[in-house]
Amino acid sequence: MDCIAVLPYYRVQREVNGLSQEIERNARTMTLYSDRIVTKYREFRITEVFDMSFRRMGDEGGFFYLHTSTGVYPYMVEIDPRPFIRTFHQLAIARIK
């Protein structure tokens, strides 16, 4: 299956060693296909995804939320995810028809 849309996101991992703290930022991508959404460690069938939302945090990015039948999954994003959300909604409407 070909990908329909891609959303870059990142995960911040903090590691404390003695008196120092290292912060590592890992860039990842979320890919929307016609039948599923795939992240680095998870895969959701489209039928499991109820909705998506976004909450801006400050001037740079915010949290993208994936609402699924197994819970809500937060992802940190730097770019506006609204085009990705619109594409998902168009796909969901097309599946209903």
Side-chain angles (χ1 to χ4, degrees):
M1 296 243 145
D2 292 331
C3 103
I4 298 171
V6 174
L7 177 66
Y9 69 97
Y10 64 93
R11 175 161 163 63
V12 174
Q13 187 167 343
R14 292 175 180 86
E15 192 172 312
V16 178
N17 297 321
L19 298 176
S20 67
Q21 176 177 312
E22 293 182 26
I23 298 175
E24 185 176 326
R25 184 175 162 162
N26 299 311
R28 301 176 179 178
T29 57
M30 179 180 299
T31 308
L32 173 63
Y33 297 93
S34 62
D35 63 339
R36 67 192 184 284
I37 295 174
V38 179
T39 67
K40 182 166 181 158
Y41 293 109
R42 291 188 174 95
E43 184 170 316
F44 304 95
R45 290 189 318 264
I46 285 295
T47 56
E48 296 175 325
V49 179
F50 300 139
D51 202 4
M52 299 174 182
S53 60
F54 174 63
R55 172 155 296 189
R56 183 168 301 284
M57 302 298 275
D59 293 336
E60 298 180 11
F63 284 95
F64 170 81
Y65 297 98
L66 192 60
H67 304 263
T68 74
S69 59
T70 57
V72 177
Y73 295 85
Y75 296 92
M76 291 185 279
V77 296
E78 285 184 321
I79 66 166
D80 186 351
R82 285 181 290 190
F84 187 88
I85 294 170
R86 274 193 300 271
T87 302
F88 166 75
H89 286 152
Q90 290 169 352
L91 178 64
I93 289 169
R95 290 180 68 86
I96 292 171
K97 291 182 179 181

